[in-house]
Amino acid sequence: MGTVVILGVFVADTAYRAARMPVMGETIMGTAFALGPGGKGSNQAVACARLGVDTHFISNLGQDDFAKLALDTWAQAGVVPHVRQIAESYTGAAHIFIEEASGDNAIIVAPGAAALISPSDVEAQADLIQGADVFVTQLEQPMDAAVRALEIARAAGVTTVLNPAPAAELPEGMLALCDYVTPNETECEALTEIAVTDEKQAEQACAALMTKGVRTPIITMGQQGAYLAGHGLVPAVKAGPVVETTGAGDAFNGAFAAALADGQSAVDAVRYGCATAGISVTRPGTAPSMPTRDEVLAHL
Ligand code: RIB
C-alpha cells in the first residue's frame, strides 16, 4: 500500500431534506436534518483511509466544536491530520439542501479557517507531499495554495490528481501540473465550454483538457459512470436505491487515489472509484457514507 496526501477543506455539513428548495423570502418545512463531517478534501481523505491506504490530510481548522468533530472523524477513519488550528477563525460549515425525491443536492460552503490556507502552509508540508505516491487537491481552499502544492508534488515526481470542484476559473498553467483531472459534467463545462451529456462529448472535452496540459482527464458522469480519456466510459456500479448523492464525487476521488497508490492501472482505479461512489450514494451523509475496502471488493 502506498501513501496518499490530500490538501483540502473540512467543514461541518448541516444537511436539510425537503421536497423542494424555498424561494427567496419563503420558509418551508423540511423532513429531516443531520449534522456530520464534510468538506470535499476531508471526505476524500476519509474515503481513501477507509479503503486501507496510508492517508494524510493537510488543512486548517478553528479551535471549536466543529474542529473536534474533524479530529474525531479522522481518528476514527485512520486519516493522519497535518493541520494548523487558528483560534481567531472558526471551523467552516456547509448548508446542504437535499431534494427528498431524488437525493440530489445544492450546497453553500463557508470554509472558515480553511479559507486561510496559504502557499506557506503548503510549503511547511513539502516533505510530506514529496514523499507521497499520490497527491490530491480540490478547489475549496485558496487557489494559490492548491497550485503551490501541485508544483511541489509534480517537481518530486508524485502522481497529481486535481478534482476541480467547485467549478472555478483556473490560473494559467495549473492544469499542466496535473496527471489526472476529475471534473463532473458541470465542472468540465466550466473548464472546456463543452456540455457533456454523452460519450462523444466526453471524448471532445477530454481532448480539450489534454490540449491544456492534463495528462489524463476523467469526467465523472453521475449515474452513467466515469469517462476515462484513452479508454472510454467505465459504467457506474449500482449498489441499491439512491438515498443521497452528496459526496459521491469525493468517494470516487478518494478511492481512485487509493487504487493508484496501491499500484492499480488507471482503468482499474476508475472502476474502484465508481464502485465506491455507487455504495456511498445508498447511504446518508458524506464522510459517514464511505465504504470499507471489503465492502467495495464484495460489490465489485
Ligand atoms: O462534495 C460534497 C461536499 O461538498 C460536502 O461534504 C460539503 O461540505 C461540500 O464541501
Side-chain angles (χ1 to χ4, degrees):
M1 280 288 179
T3 298
V4 174
V5 173
I6 300 179
L7 166 71
V9 163
F10 169 91
V11 292
D13 281 351
T14 62
Y16 300 78
R17 298 184 86 93
R20 62 172 177 84
M21 286 242 249
V23 296
M24 196 58 75
E26 184 190 27
T27 300
I28 63 168
M29 300 306 287
T31 54
F33 169 79
L35 169 68
K40 293 183 195 303
S42 176
N43 293 341
Q44 293 172 16
V46 168
C48 191
R50 281 181 64 78
L51 295 168
V53 169
D54 179 30
T55 308
H56 298 254
F57 187 54
I58 303 171
S59 195
N60 282 359
L61 296 172
Q63 288 183 353
D64 44 30
D65 288 348
F66 287 168
K68 187 174 175 327
L69 175 64
L71 295 168
D72 289 349
T73 300
W74 300 332
Q76 239 174 47
V79 174
V80 184
H82 302 265
V83 296
R84 185 161 68 93
Q85 288 195 259
I86 305 173
E88 303 73 37
S89 186
Y90 62 93
T91 306
H95 171 280
I96 303 183
F97 160 73
I98 302 160
E99 188 181 59
E100 194 66 71
S102 64
D104 287 343
N105 61 74
I107 303 178
I108 302 171
V109 178
L116 304 174
I117 299 174
S118 65
S120 57
D121 285 327
V122 167
E123 280 162 8
Q125 304 296 340
D127 288 351
L128 179 72
I129 296 170
Q130 287 157 351
D133 294 287
V134 179
F135 171 77
V136 184
T137 193
Q138 328 69 31
L139 301 175
E140 287 185 328
Q141 74 290 313
M143 192 71 83
D144 55 359
V147 171
R148 187 68 196 111
L150 287 166
E151 285 170 352
I152 292 169
R154 171 52 67 87
V158 175
T159 298
T160 53
V161 180
L162 172 65
N163 173 221
E169 199 173 316
L170 302 185
E172 188 75 30
M174 187 176 186
L175 288 173
L177 295 169
C178 303
D179 291 303
Y180 297 97
V181 171
T182 59
N184 65 17
E185 301 99 319
T186 318
E187 294 145 7
C188 186
E189 186 171 354
L191 293 175
T192 64
E193 290 173 14
I194 298 171
V196 174
T197 56
D198 61 25
E199 288 184 56
K200 195 159 186 299
Q201 291 155 341
E203 192 184 333
Q204 287 165 358
C206 284
L209 288 168
M210 286 163 89
T211 63
K212 293 174 193 268
V214 179
R215 289 196 178 146
T216 310
I218 298 166
I219 303 170
T220 57
M221 297 174 66
Q223 291 178 6
Q224 293 188 68
Y227 190 93
L228 170 63
H231 174 84
L233 186 70
V234 175
V237 193
K238 205 165 160 38
V242 174
V243 171
E244 184 180 337
T245 60
T246 326
D250 301 331
F252 176 88
N253 279 281
F256 176 70
L260 287 183
D262 198 19
Q264 294 188 39
S265 67
V267 62
D268 285 343
V270 171
R271 281 196 192 106
Y272 200 61
C274 286
T276 306
I279 297 172
S280 77
V281 298
T282 65
R283 301 169 176 175
T286 55
S289 72
M290 303 305 174
T292 63
R293 186 166 192 266
D294 287 347
E295 287 173 319
V296 176
L297 292 180
H299 184 43
L300 273 170

